[in-house]
């Protein structure tokens, strides 16, 4: 099969012919129909993820067709249209037994713990637990855009943040995660404040549901400005970027008993950021981590997509081929593009 491979961290990717994957007895091989490009692919390529063994194929936002099944797989057959969360559970550990596959003790992540989907085929283990049937109404490109950023934001806003109509929600950072969170919170009829340093991204945020736009590059005191606008702070705030600065601002933006949702990954020098813990105790704030969404919770999100309440396809910036993806991945940290990039030619 053709795959985009890197042999060393932070070195160019090349398109190579590599052996086709074979399914484990509990797993499947999926013919990739589309796969999203995510900033965590860039982090992996930089060497920020200790799971990755070289040479490596990135890619974890997957939609496609089951090509081959292991002998123990009972729920899936060749030809099924599927997608899956980026965190795959084992189905048997205490976390999975409690329904929280997104924090499985023996989790696997395609594109990190094993080769991912910047390729014609990808192998997925414990398929009965991890695959999600894709409704006919949702095409592969749209489905691929759900696998990581959108589904994580969905769980963050709906299950963790418990956002309801009329609440204030702040979203710090308007990349893929942030735009998803804005669209989902706005579908729940919350009032959304979008914060970014790029005018273009803020305008896009406005077009997917943000009602207040704050340019952090132009405002001296971001948290102060939001406390003013919302008359006391937001009910729920999301750090959608994952940086010391946005994490601090997100917590400082909350009203009493508000919830901070950490959705942007905190890596490299941002792993242990300073946070306003004095506010956390005085105002009884909650700080919640969000690590993907388990496959069995996908139904509610897919229903909202099929009903047109969520329009993830609006977040897609462009579709590209594998060669272009290999060229673009190293530049992902420049935050140049607006919207999500999806690979749909292999
Ligand atoms: Zn991702
Ligand atoms: Zn597990």
């Amino acid at each position: 099969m053709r795959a985009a491979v890197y042999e060393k961290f932070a070195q160019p990717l090349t398109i190579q012919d590599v052996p086709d994957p074979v399914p484990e007895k509990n797993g499947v091989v999926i013919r990739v129909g589309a796969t999203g490009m995510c900033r965590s692919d860039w982090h992996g390529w930089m060497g920020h993820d200790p799971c990755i063994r070289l040479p490596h194929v990135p890619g974890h936002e997957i939609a496609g067709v089951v090509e081959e099944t292991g002998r123990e797989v009972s729920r899936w057959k060749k030809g099924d249209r599927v997608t899956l969360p980026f965190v795959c559970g084992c189905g048997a550990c205490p976390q999975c037994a409690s329904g929280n596959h997104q924090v499985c003790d023996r989790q696997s992540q395609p594109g990190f713990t094993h080769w991912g989907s910047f390729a014609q085929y990808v192998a997925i283990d414990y398929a009965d637990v991890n695959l999600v049937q894709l409704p006919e109404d949702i095409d592969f490109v749209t489905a691929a855009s759900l696998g990581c950023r959108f589904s994580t934001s969905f769980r963050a806003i709906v299950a963790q943040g418990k956002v309801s109509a009329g609440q204030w929600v702040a979203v710090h950072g308007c990349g893929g995660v942030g735009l998803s969170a804005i669209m989902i919170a706005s579908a729940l009829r919350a009032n959304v404040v979008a914060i970014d340093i790029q005018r273009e991204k803020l305008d896009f945020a406005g077009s997917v549901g943000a009602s207040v736009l704050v340019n952090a590059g132009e405002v001296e005191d971001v948290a102060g400005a939001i406390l003013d606008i919302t008359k006391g702070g937001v009910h729920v705030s999301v750090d959608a970027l994952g940086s010391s600065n946005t994490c601090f601002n997100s917590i400082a933006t909350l009203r009493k008993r508000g919830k901070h949702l950490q959705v942007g990954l905190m890596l490299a020098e941002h792993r242990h950021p300073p946070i306003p813990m004095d506010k956390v105790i005085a105002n009884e704030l909650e700080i919640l981590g969000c690590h993907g969404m388990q496959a069995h919770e996908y139904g509610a999100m897919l229903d909202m997509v099929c009903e047109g309440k969520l329009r993830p396809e609006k977040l897609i910036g462009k579709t590209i081929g594998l060669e272009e993806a290999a060229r673009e991945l190293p530049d992902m940290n420049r935050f140049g593009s607006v919207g999500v990039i999806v690979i749909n030619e292999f």
Side-chain angles (χ1 to χ4, degrees):
M1 68 170 181
R2 275 158 48 82
V5 183
Y6 54 89
E7 313 263 355
K8 289 191 178 138
F9 292 118
Q11 294 298 311
L13 288 88
T14 53
I15 306 302
Q16 299 183 13
D17 273 315
V18 297
D20 289 353
V22 225
E24 292 289 325
K25 55 184 193 286
N26 55 41
V28 298
V29 166
I30 294 172
R31 176 159 49 81
V32 182
T35 187
M37 273 180 82
C38 174
R39 193 155 167 263
S40 34
D41 295 315
W42 178 86
H43 278 297
W45 173 78
M46 282 292 289
H48 296 162
D49 191 313
C51 299
I52 293 177
R53 299 280 167 270
L54 298 172
H56 187 67
V57 176
H60 58 279
E61 303 186 342
I62 304 162
V65 175
V66 173
E67 180 72 23
E68 207 182 334
T69 54
R71 64 177 190 277
E72 289 178 8
V73 173
S74 62
R75 292 184 55 214
W76 307 101
K77 60 179 190 314
K78 185 178 162 80
D80 285 344
R81 298 174 84 245
V82 292
T83 187
L84 58 137
F86 76 94
V87 179
C88 293
C90 70
C93 75
Q95 309 306 330
C96 286
S98 76
N100 290 293
H101 302 70
Q102 78 283 0
V103 289
C104 170
D105 293 336
R106 289 192 293 269
Q107 62 191 253
S108 60
Q109 298 183 18
F112 299 97
T113 57
H114 63 281
W115 280 15
S117 50
F118 284 22
Q120 289 177 302
Y121 298 98
V122 64
I124 302 297
D125 297 344
Y126 301 107
D128 282 342
V129 175
N130 293 306
L131 296 192
V132 176
Q133 181 159 19
L134 197 57
E136 286 297 329
D137 293 348
I138 304 180
D139 61 61
F140 290 140
V141 170
T142 303
S145 75
L146 301 173
C148 161
R149 291 160 286 190
F150 200 91
S151 55
T152 305
S153 295
F154 188 87
R155 195 177 117 75
I157 295 288
V158 175
Q160 307 270 82
K162 298 186 169 59
V163 168
S164 57
Q167 286 190 322
W168 281 105
V169 175
V171 177
H172 298 258
C174 297
V177 167
L179 293 169
S180 305
I182 290 164
M183 178 181 281
I184 295 157
S186 133
L188 299 174
R189 290 181 288 124
N191 304 307
V192 183
V193 184
I195 304 104
D196 203 284
I197 54 172
Q198 287 183 32
R199 173 49 53 191
E200 218 185 350
K201 291 194 174 179
L202 285 171
D203 289 343
F204 197 18
S207 76
V208 297
S211 53
V212 179
L213 310 175
V214 175
N215 190 327
E218 293 170 359
V219 175
E220 187 86 14
D221 174 11
V222 171
I226 294 168
L227 295 178
D228 275 351
I229 293 165
T230 58
K231 299 187 171 54
V234 300
H235 299 84
V236 174
S237 183
V238 182
D239 174 9
L241 175 65
S243 79
S244 304
N245 190 32
T246 46
C247 173
F248 187 98
N249 278 343
S250 173
I251 298 168
T253 304
L254 291 170
R255 69 173 55 202
K256 289 185 177 179
R257 297 183 53 77
K259 297 186 179 104
H260 163 76
L261 307 173
Q262 188 64 46
V263 186
L265 292 178
M266 300 298 271
L267 296 169
E269 74 272 22
H270 299 288
R271 284 168 63 222
H272 302 130
I275 59 170
M277 196 54 93
D278 54 337
K279 283 202 160 205
V280 172
I281 184 160
N283 295 346
E284 289 200 346
L285 307 180
E286 290 181 65
I287 298 179
L288 298 161
C290 307
H291 194 247
M293 182 166 78
Q294 59 279 60
H296 66 82
E297 293 288 339
Y298 263 55
M301 177 178 75
L302 295 177
D303 285 350
M304 285 180 79
V305 175
C306 289
E307 289 159 8
K309 290 179 182 155
L310 295 174
R311 305 276 309 279
E313 70 280 4
K314 284 181 79 173
L315 306 183
I316 295 165
K318 61 175 175 179
T319 55
I320 60 174
L322 205 53
E323 280 83 4
E324 205 181 340
R327 283 195 302 274
E328 291 223 355
L329 182 68
D331 286 335
M332 274 203 88
N333 201 39
R334 291 194 199 149
F335 300 105
S337 62
V338 173
V340 172
I341 303 173
V342 179
I343 306 165
N344 66 344
E345 280 173 43
F346 301 86

